[in-house]
Amino acid sequence: MGYDEPDRDGPPAPASAGPATGTEAVLEPDAESGRDRFGVYIVWETFLLLGFSALVYLVWREDSAVLRGSGLRDLIVDVVGLGALALAVGLTLRTAAVNLAVGPVAVAAGLHFAEQSDRGVLDTVGTATVVAAVGGLLLGLVVVLLHVPGWAASLGGAAGVIVYIEQRSAPVLVQGDYDPRGTAGQLFVGFAAIAVFGGLLGAVSPIRRLLGRFRPIVDPARRRGAAAAVVVTAGYVCSTVLATLAGVLIASTEGTVAPAAGLDWTVLAVGATLLAGTSAFGLRGGVFGTLLTAGAIGLFLAYAQARGWAVSHWAVGGAALAGGLVVTRLVETYGRPAPVLGALPPPPPEPAVEGGWSVTQPQPVGDWPPVLPAQPAVGGTDPWGARRWETGSRTWEADDR
């Protein structure tokens, strides 16, 4: 008897051709034919827009001052800070190597800015950005060289950043006089441009496949190549820089930074990203989802504050995360390329030539019906002649006579 055992001794079967054990074929992201169906994103982002509009109405009816003057500037800076964290998580989710250290990085950057901002904004922010970029580079190298899950490696990085945060025992006052509310409009335009332009780039099939190349297929521990390693590393660098800028904005707006772990910000950012339409498996995402979701969450927090509700980031982030998991299932079900009607199934993989156990392929059948072999002549006697016992009997009878 013979068995097919993939990857035992011979080369692995092509990912686009399905294993020889009869299981369902699995396509690589770069081998997927066709474009993603964007109908699901249009429908979902329409719902997000309706929810955003409803929250605008509720906030206006509860306290219209939130949407005017200084209140509006405060709201915009809060939305941009949360949006920067959502962009950081969304970028790494697209590369299928999520960065869970964005929250602690934002808090650490806020503490550094609060302590050193009297030396100048550019100097302080520049130093924090360089340190964050180096940290993101090291984190990316750990993920791609060891080929380990991004969530596990980034959680270890978050632990290291939290150790730095815990060296402070009391809230830190911001020493500088930088106020981002004076440029709130420019900050919002910049955030909106990055979010929408990034979503449009992610909608282009070659770019989408390149960004999602680290997404696991068949065996999650199988390496995905040099291109995937470069993309993942760049994603970690950009995400830590975005988290640093978000921490600076939040710290400069609040005026005081508490030495907290910051994982609540991570949960809130991950929940916002998933709710925006980015798949938890990587590769897929929408265009306007991050912008709408960050604005909606910022409006909800402002509405809760106007109503006097005590709402924590854990509660909002957990609710957004639960809804985002449902959105991920919808995106993966209705967002993948449509199957081609009438397409032939992929051919079965070739059997292993050396090593391993393989099923012997049948040989081609010859002529049918088969031809009987020629019978050799024995002594020139007709094989169909009289039987010997008949001949012998007749001879004996003749002798008796």
Side-chain angles (χ1 to χ4, degrees):
M1 63 181 176
Y3 298 94
D4 263 341
E5 196 169 88
D7 299 337
R8 182 174 179 88
D9 293 311
S16 60
T21 56
T23 55
E24 184 177 335
V26 181
L27 292 176
E28 293 191 22
D30 54 342
E32 240 178 341
S33 59
R35 300 172 61 91
D36 276 359
R37 292 176 289 178
F38 270 80
V40 63
Y41 300 107
I42 295 175
V43 173
W44 178 242
E45 289 177 1
T46 301
F47 278 110
L48 289 178
L49 180 59
L50 293 176
F52 177 83
S53 302
L55 285 169
V56 169
Y57 170 74
L58 292 175
V59 171
W60 179 266
R61 191 181 65 175
E62 187 67 30
D63 186 4
S64 60
V66 176
L67 301 177
R68 294 182 300 183
S70 61
L72 179 60
R73 288 191 289 270
D74 289 338
L75 177 61
I76 288 177
V77 174
D78 291 341
V79 168
V80 171
L82 175 60
L85 285 177
L87 285 177
V89 173
L91 176 59
T92 54
L93 268 180
R94 282 289 190 104
T95 62
V98 63
N99 186 1
L100 298 182
V102 293
V105 168
V107 174
L111 288 171
H112 172 77
F113 179 78
E115 294 171 345
Q116 306 293 331
S117 57
D118 55 345
R119 297 169 48 190
V121 176
L122 293 180
D123 187 14
T124 306
V125 175
T127 302
T129 301
V130 171
V131 173
V134 173
L137 177 62
L138 294 177
L139 183 58
L141 290 177
V142 169
V143 172
V144 299
L145 292 180
L146 298 181
H147 196 78
V148 293
W151 64 266
S154 61
L155 199 59
V161 177
I162 292 173
V163 171
Y164 167 81
I165 295 173
E166 288 181 343
Q167 295 178 2
R168 282 84 175 168
S169 58
V172 180
L173 294 175
V174 178
Q175 303 299 314
D177 56 355
Y178 171 68
D179 189 358
R181 288 170 290 195
T183 57
Q186 293 88 329
L187 290 174
F188 180 77
V189 171
F191 159 64
I194 294 175
V196 175
F197 184 69
L200 290 174
L201 280 181
V204 181
S205 293
I207 298 178
R208 172 182 61 82
R209 295 170 183 172
L210 178 62
L211 288 177
R213 187 169 178 81
F214 200 73
R215 172 169 164 157
I217 55 167
V218 185
D219 183 4
R222 183 175 298 171
R223 295 184 181 273
R224 301 292 291 122
V230 172
V231 170
V232 168
T233 305
Y236 276 117
V237 172
C238 294
S239 66
T240 51
V241 170
L242 285 172
T244 299
L245 297 178
V248 170
L249 286 178
I250 296 172
S252 58
T253 303
E254 295 182 353
T256 303
V257 182
L263 290 177
D264 55 337
W265 283 104
T266 295
V267 173
L268 186 61
V270 173
T273 305
L274 295 180
L275 197 62
T278 304
S279 173
F281 297 103
L283 181 69
R284 296 184 170 89
V287 177
F288 299 96
T290 302
L291 178 62
L292 294 173
T293 305
I297 293 178
L299 285 170
F300 176 77
L301 293 176
Y303 177 73
Q305 184 178 2
R307 293 295 301 269
W309 297 346
V311 179
S312 68
H313 289 168
W314 289 105
V316 179
L321 189 59
L325 295 178
V326 178
V327 176
T328 289
R329 186 66 268 152
L330 295 175
V331 167
E332 289 294 333
T333 302
Y334 301 104
R336 65 177 61 253
V340 181
L341 297 178
L344 296 176
E350 295 294 333
V353 178
E354 296 180 359
W357 296 340
S358 60
V359 179
T360 305
Q361 298 295 324
Q363 299 298 325
V365 181
D367 296 334
W368 184 262
V371 180
L372 292 175
Q375 298 292 334
V378 180
T381 306
D382 185 6
W384 304 104
R387 295 180 176 88
R388 291 185 178 180
W389 65 271
E390 294 180 351
T391 306
S393 176
R394 292 174 182 174
T395 307
W396 176 77
E397 292 176 356
D399 293 339
D400 288 343
R401 292 177 181 175

